[in-house]
Amino acid sequence: MNRPSTSERVPVTPRGQRTRQKLLKAAEAVFGDKGYERASIADLTRKASVALGTFYVYFPDKQSIFVEVVDELGARLRRLIAESTAGCTTRLEVEREGLRAFFQFVRQHPNLYRVVRQAEFVDADCYRRYYDRFAKGYVRGLTQAMDKGEVRRMDPEALAYCLMGIGDFLGMRWVLWEEDMGLERVLDTAMALLSHGLPSPLQPVPAKPSKPTPPKPSPRRPSRGPRS
């Protein structure tokens, strides 16, 4: 379901922009902690320390601010990754620094996973848009790397989603579930996988040599007896 745009409610004054950002930041925290269904507009305004009526100056309803939170999280993440990889000279460097930037973003926004996953049930278009926009830039970068010969030619969109899946699960395991400051080894493993693929399968164990078959004796010529 497409929600009405809130662009006409974007404030033009610095004070209004600050208030709107306070509401978005509060919504990210409340939706992450309580979940969309349990969260109320009163919860959001209380968290943002603004009057209840102020909410409706900027957003028409709860779903609209939720969609805005998801869209803004996606935009900020893409911007951070773009800035973090701007100086990279190879595609492998882009992948490593992009993952590092994603891990940093997850630390700063621990509710990212919870909020984005709720979007599948709150607004399916918003949920898909979050990933589609991310994939679009990924496809563009991978295609350029393929044109330069840095990446083997293959379906760039399928490859983009494979790499997005790697980052998603690494961030969930080593940042969200259990903060690990030694993430370099995780990055090393991911880069080794991207550089060399999966390890080669084990060579088949050679069959056990069978016992040599003894040569058959040559047939003996029949004896003709003594010659007369």
Side-chain angles (χ1 to χ4, degrees):
M1 174 181 176
N2 290 319
R3 301 295 300 171
S5 171
T6 58
S7 58
E8 67 276 9
R9 296 180 182 235
V10 176
V12 294
T13 65
R15 180 179 178 182
Q17 292 169 1
R18 288 194 298 270
T19 301
R20 191 172 190 274
Q21 285 303 312
K22 283 173 64 176
L23 284 165
L24 288 169
K25 184 176 180 180
E28 179 184 339
V30 173
F31 288 138
D33 292 340
K34 286 194 166 188
Y36 178 81
E37 293 298 332
R38 292 178 55 210
S40 68
I41 292 175
D43 291 328
L44 305 185
T45 56
R46 190 179 306 113
K47 182 73 173 178
S49 299
V50 300
L52 182 62
T54 302
F55 175 89
Y56 296 99
V57 174
Y58 303 99
F59 301 98
D61 51 35
K62 184 172 74 168
Q63 186 169 351
S64 294
I65 192 172
F66 178 87
V67 168
E68 187 76 10
V69 168
V70 175
D71 285 343
E72 186 180 78
L73 282 170
R76 292 174 67 181
L77 173 57
R78 295 191 303 273
R79 185 163 56 248
L80 175 64
I81 291 176
E83 292 170 354
S84 300
T85 59
C88 296
T89 57
T90 68
R91 187 64 211 182
L92 205 60
E93 289 179 9
V94 170
E95 294 299 330
R96 187 181 191 104
E97 295 310 310
L99 272 178
R100 195 194 306 279
F102 175 66
F103 295 160
Q104 175 188 338
F105 194 83
V106 174
R107 285 194 201 99
Q108 295 171 347
H109 301 271
N111 287 311
L112 174 71
Y113 281 84
R114 291 180 181 177
V115 171
V116 171
R117 286 173 180 166
Q118 290 177 71
E120 181 181 6
F121 308 101
V122 177
D123 190 306
D125 290 338
C126 169
Y127 180 68
R128 178 164 180 173
R129 185 167 62 245
Y130 175 87
Y131 291 104
D132 281 347
R133 287 176 174 174
F134 201 94
K136 185 177 180 181
Y138 223 143
V139 167
R140 184 167 55 250
L142 289 170
T143 301
Q144 292 172 353
M146 290 176 193
D147 293 340
K148 294 177 183 177
E150 294 183 9
V151 175
R152 181 163 54 90
R153 183 72 63 181
M154 60 187 87
D155 183 333
E157 185 177 12
L159 180 57
Y161 274 91
C162 287
L163 296 174
M164 286 162 59
I166 289 174
D168 186 61
F169 276 89
L170 291 181
M172 182 170 60
R173 167 61 181 85
W174 275 284
V175 181
L176 185 65
W177 288 357
E178 182 180 340
E179 178 67 17
D180 189 334
M181 301 310 294
L183 282 174
E184 288 304 314
R185 78 180 191 285
V186 177
L187 291 171
D188 288 343
T189 300
M191 293 309 104
L193 174 63
L194 298 187
S195 299
H196 309 296
L198 292 174
S200 300
L202 294 175
Q203 294 294 327
V205 179
K208 211 171 183 180
S210 55
K211 292 182 180 179
T213 305
K216 293 181 180 180
S218 301
R220 299 177 68 181
R221 295 181 180 180
S223 175
R224 296 184 180 180
R227 299 178 67 183
S228 55

